[in-house]
Amino acid sequence: MADSAASTLSQNSGAYQYQPLNESAGEIRLLHLLPGPISSPIRVILESTPFSPDAPPDFEALSYTWGSPENPIDIFIGASGCYTLAVTQNLAEALPYLRLEDRSRTLWIDAICVNQSDMAERTSQVKRMADIYSKATRVVVWLGPESEDSSMAIDAFNTICSNTVVDWQTWSVRPTSPDPLLANGNVPVPLDEAQSNSISSLLSRPWFERLWIWQEVRLPSGDNIIVECGCQTIPWNSMCHAILYLKKRHSSDTHDTFKNKVNSIFALCNRRSSGYRSFSALLVDTKDCKCSDPRDRIFALLSMLDPSEFAGIEADYSKTVSDVYKNAALCILKSDQALGILATAGLEQSNLRLPSWVPGWPCRSLDRSLRHSVMAAGDTLVADIGQQADGGILQVTGVSCAIVDRVEGFKLPEYNSTTVTDIAHEIRRISSWINLQAPFKEHDENLIAFCRTICADNFADGAYPLRGDRLSLKECLQDLCFVLGLQGNMDSWNRRFLSDVGSYIRGRAFFVTKDGCLGLGPKGARPGDTVAVLLGGAAAFILRPVDGGHHQLEGEAYYHGFMDAEALLGPLPGNFQLLRKFEEKSRIQWMGHMDRETEEFYYEDPRLGDIPPGWKKKDHPSDQFWSWFVNEETGEEMKDGDPRLTPEALKQKGVDLKVFRLV
């Protein structure tokens, strides 16, 4: 009967034509979903209404998956259904569940309430989506119809929430149940295989992969979000609560699909990181999300940024992907005053024909960055990057350290198929390639250099207090000696060491420079490339000279012996070591130097020397590691960086700084 009624309506209906919105009045369209039984044709009324964040109308906003545009289904516009509008099958499937039987329901649904064929309107309305979702009476998340086990997953979430309390500031979970399995935080979460599979299945639904959902569920209050799966509902806060619990309580025996799904969705659910996040952090958080238009990689995140961070960027679908990405990269560089995003760029990173220094988001994912335990450029900031307007050129300043002489890529399978045997074999093969052979003397400098390089200098003793989730340099050297001296199967040995090394070398290459130094860099590196330390960069970089005196960025690199500002400031004195110190009061990890003899920690680099005339240091009244500089003559404050590390100051110290123009 429903199909017959819909067919009759279609025969007597014409295609709906949108009327323009009054932009000066701030209008949006709202959809009134007319009442009816679940099986009857969908009828809606579209109404244009002024919208102001200060006085919003009452409506609910729908967060859902658009789905494929193929084989669309008609819904009927107007009380009499005299017009039709084609919507995707996913949306057509959701509307009957959203409809009430006894009264109309007012919703904002982007695919219907925005004229998708009008690029100007689409651009204008996208800019308002943050206000629309944050000011909606409620946000309704539609996951899709029920499946065989979706109820089991939601029931498991509800059981967890009714028996535990979470503290998002500390990521702690406190049990409220006398059930010993739920109460004991040291035992794995009590889920059987069917429950784990049902949760994996629910979290694998396409909604969780959408990029736009980040603003749709993170901008509104979590109390105003409800999740619907068929006829079953659960508060969004309850789902987030359960995800935190599952992340903290799954065991090492939990199957990978379950752990991966929980971990990937945790960033979305993490209430501790609500509020503004840096552009760089959001791009990392959302790298596995999907969107149909690559420009939305940027546009979908703008509403979650501090306005000062995206000055100069706006959602404008008349711009090319290349222009949008270049503009975003520049904004991030200027805001961060650091070159962190260059670690995700490079010649191999994109097929979008972008300049080599612009990341092709979502970036090709390497297991780990090489920059988290090093400070190749010290506490410097990005120098003048120029206007970039001429031909997509980025101007950076730094030191040319060496020329690559030999390169050999690590031959490892993709992440899920790599074994510790594969990793051990590659370590032995590369060590043979550089002629590093057992037996080794105690404190063998060549062995230490090789170990530090394949571990990117990330050891337990690089943190204070010592990190329990890392091996020390001594332990890694012992394990490396064992690997290099053993022939045969390694599956039951040194798994932790081999797993850590594998996460750094997979997808990368080992290189030796003309002066004999070792390095780890992008797999596309080749002889003749330049190893450079660039101001504002934590890692080193591989640059390729090209015609016109320009360079192309190949990628980030670990260059042994130059990862603690040695290229700018020379070697560290005495027993000083670069490390991260966790400061309990501020809950911040500070990068600095510790004198291993006295165990005194210095936030300021011991090689810097006296403060230049006219400048004075201003210490924070409540934090011993937080200070900045004030120019006594001009009143200028330098809250980031150090006047002893400006390009001018470095040149006065005799540092041979060069300007690299990246294309």
Side-chain angles (χ1 to χ4, degrees):
M1 290 293 292
D3 289 342
S4 176
S7 177
T8 301
L9 279 169
S10 292
Q11 292 173 6
N12 297 312
S13 302
Y16 178 73
Q17 299 294 319
Y18 283 94
Q19 296 301 309
L21 292 171
N22 186 340
E23 294 286 348
S24 62
E27 285 188 344
I28 64 170
R29 291 188 192 88
L30 292 177
L31 177 155
H32 302 289
L33 181 57
L34 300 182
I38 195 168
S39 60
S40 63
I42 293 294
R43 301 180 188 220
V44 306
I45 295 175
L46 289 180
E47 174 194 15
S48 298
T49 183
F51 173 86
S52 166
D54 298 326
D58 290 333
F59 66 95
E60 298 172 281
L62 183 66
S63 176
Y64 69 107
T65 304
W66 276 40
S68 172
E70 297 180 2
N71 303 315
I73 294 175
D74 284 341
I75 63 171
F76 301 95
I77 310 293
S80 61
C82 55
Y83 300 103
T84 61
L85 182 68
V87 299
T88 63
Q89 294 190 37
N90 277 16
L91 182 52
E93 189 175 52
L95 290 171
Y97 287 93
L98 298 170
R99 177 172 50 192
L100 305 175
E101 290 195 7
D102 57 344
R103 64 188 186 280
S104 64
R105 187 175 187 178
T106 303
L107 298 160
W108 187 87
I109 303 174
D110 55 358
I112 299 176
C113 295
V114 178
N115 183 356
Q116 298 298 323
S117 62
D118 184 335
M119 193 62 69
E121 179 177 301
R122 180 181 165 195
T123 295
S124 173
Q125 292 292 292
V126 161
K127 297 175 184 177
R128 310 194 68 191
M129 285 176 63
D131 285 335
I132 289 171
Y133 278 94
S134 60
K135 299 301 181 181
T137 306
R138 183 166 69 169
V139 172
V140 179
V141 172
W142 170 252
L143 296 183
E146 292 180 44
S147 62
E148 292 181 359
D149 59 359
S150 59
S151 293
M152 179 184 293
I154 292 175
D155 289 344
F157 288 157
N158 283 324
T159 299
I160 290 170
C161 292
S162 61
N163 289 281
T164 58
V165 175
V166 300
D167 182 342
W168 281 104
Q169 292 305 309
T170 59
W171 284 349
S172 61
V173 181
R174 179 171 58 84
T176 59
S177 168
D179 184 333
L181 288 178
L182 283 167
N184 187 350
N186 296 317
V187 300
V189 57
L191 296 175
D192 59 32
E193 184 176 1
Q195 289 173 311
S196 294
N197 288 338
S198 71
I199 291 172
S200 295
S201 179
L202 187 71
L203 299 182
S204 297
R205 293 196 174 210
W207 181 84
F208 290 98
E209 297 179 338
R210 286 187 62 234
L211 179 59
W212 283 102
I213 65 172
W214 276 72
Q215 72 165 1
E216 293 167 5
V217 299
R218 288 177 70 89
L219 294 179
S221 165
D223 297 331
N224 295 335
I225 307 174
I226 191 78
V227 180
E228 294 192 15
C229 183
C231 296
Q232 198 166 11
T233 64
I234 181 173
W236 172 247
N237 276 347
S238 296
M239 182 171 281
C240 295
H241 176 150
I243 292 296
L244 173 61
Y245 177 86
L246 294 171
K247 178 177 173 64
K248 294 186 67 70
R249 293 283 300 275
H250 64 59
S251 73
S252 59
D253 296 327
T254 308
H255 61 81
D256 287 340
T257 302
F258 178 84
K259 288 191 290 189
N260 291 341
K261 284 298 173 186
V262 169
N263 289 336
S264 66
I265 290 164
F266 176 73
L268 173 67
C269 299
N270 183 9
R271 308 310 291 179
R272 190 168 83 175
S273 64
S274 58
Y276 288 130
R277 292 270 282 160
S278 75
F279 212 155
S280 303
L282 279 172
L283 285 163
V284 172
D285 288 343
T286 60
K287 65 182 175 63
D288 294 323
C289 295
K290 296 178 180 178
C291 56
S292 57
D293 189 323
R295 292 169 291 192
D296 288 340
R297 284 280 156 204
I298 306 303
F299 297 161
L301 304 180
L302 297 181
S303 60
M304 292 181 283
L305 301 173
D306 187 302
S308 64
E309 191 171 357
F310 65 93
I313 304 181
E314 61 178 3
D316 184 351
Y317 289 95
S318 68
K319 292 185 177 180
T320 65
V321 174
S322 179
D323 285 342
V324 170
Y325 281 26
K326 283 190 291 186
N327 197 22
L330 277 172
C331 282
I332 294 171
L333 289 168
K334 292 175 180 177
S335 174
D336 291 354
Q337 286 291 287
L339 299 180
I341 66 161
L342 296 195
T344 61
L347 291 177
E348 296 181 7
Q349 299 292 349
S350 172
N351 60 1
L352 298 173
R353 296 185 178 180
L354 300 167
S356 64
W357 56 272
V358 178
W361 294 293
C363 303
R364 179 172 58 85
S365 178
L366 291 168
D367 294 349
R368 282 189 188 171
S369 172
L370 301 176
R371 68 186 187 277
H372 291 313
S373 299
V374 296
M375 290 182 68
D379 201 23
T380 60
L381 303 179
V382 173
D384 181 18
I385 60 176
Q387 296 300 313
Q388 185 273 321
D390 300 327
I393 298 173
L394 178 72
Q395 180 174 292
V396 291
T397 302
V399 176
S400 177
C401 298
I403 302 299
V404 174
D405 184 48
R406 296 188 293 148
V407 182
E408 181 66 18
F410 287 95
K411 300 172 182 177
L412 288 174
E414 294 294 325
Y415 177 78
N416 290 331
S417 58
T418 302
T419 66
V420 290
T421 303
D422 296 327
I423 298 167
H425 172 77
E426 282 301 286
I427 292 174
R428 291 199 292 265
R429 186 179 70 83
I430 296 297
S431 69
S432 177
W433 180 73
I434 62 171
N435 201 31
L436 181 69
Q437 298 177 349
F440 301 105
K441 299 178 181 179
E442 187 177 4
H443 306 303
D444 188 296
E445 291 185 3
N446 292 328
L447 180 71
I448 293 173
F450 183 67
C451 185
R452 285 187 177 276
T453 301
I454 62 175
C455 295
D457 229 355
N458 195 1
F459 304 105
D461 29 9
Y464 187 85
L466 291 178
R467 288 184 58 171
D469 60 342
R470 291 276 185 273
L471 296 171
S472 68
L473 172 60
K474 182 179 180 180
E475 290 171 320
C476 288
L477 285 169
Q478 291 172 343
D479 289 338
L480 178 59
C481 287
F482 179 76
V483 170
L484 297 181
L486 181 75
Q487 300 297 320
N489 190 289
M490 296 288 300
D491 279 336
S492 59
W493 300 90
N494 306 86
R495 299 188 67 91
R496 188 175 179 186
F497 167 70
L498 291 169
S499 177
D500 281 349
V501 171
S503 68
Y504 287 114
I505 67 175
R506 189 182 294 107
R508 291 192 168 102
F510 200 92
F511 64 85
V512 181
T513 61
K514 288 185 179 297
D515 54 2
C517 292
L518 308 182
L520 185 65
K523 66 179 182 180
R526 65 191 189 198
D529 287 346
T530 297
V531 184
V533 169
L534 305 178
L535 302 189
F541 293 94
I542 301 293
L543 307 181
R544 179 160 302 157
V546 293
D547 293 341
H550 297 133
H551 287 78
Q552 291 176 318
L553 174 69
E554 185 63 44
E556 67 171 356
Y558 175 91
Y559 182 43
H560 182 66
F562 290 84
M563 301 307 287
D564 184 10
E566 291 92 344
L568 304 176
L569 301 175
L572 273 172
N575 294 292
F576 280 95
Q577 178 192 345
L578 176 69
L579 53 71
R580 293 180 182 272
K581 184 178 188 298
F582 180 75
E583 206 274 312
E584 185 69 37
K585 186 174 183 179
S586 63
R587 311 287 301 175
I588 293 176
Q589 281 190 330
W590 295 95
M591 202 77 159
H593 294 85
M594 178 172 282
D595 186 329
R596 281 302 186 184
E597 284 190 352
T598 64
E599 291 199 346
E600 287 188 66
F601 179 81
Y602 300 89
Y603 173 66
E604 184 176 285
D605 194 306
R607 294 167 290 185
L608 286 177
D610 295 333
I611 300 172
W615 289 88
K616 68 176 181 179
K617 183 187 291 187
K618 191 172 183 180
D619 294 322
H620 194 280
S622 60
D623 197 317
Q624 61 176 319
F625 300 127
W626 190 356
S627 60
W628 62 95
F629 297 88
V630 179
N631 189 306
E632 296 178 292
E633 296 178 3
T634 66
E636 174 191 354
E637 290 191 341
M638 186 181 287
K639 292 191 174 181
D640 295 306
D642 190 306
R644 292 164 290 187
L645 290 171
T646 63
E648 295 74 22
L650 291 171
K651 288 178 181 178
Q652 288 180 3
K653 293 176 182 287
V655 179
D656 186 15
L657 291 181
K658 299 180 182 297
V659 173
F660 299 92
R661 292 175 174 83
L662 305 184
V663 294

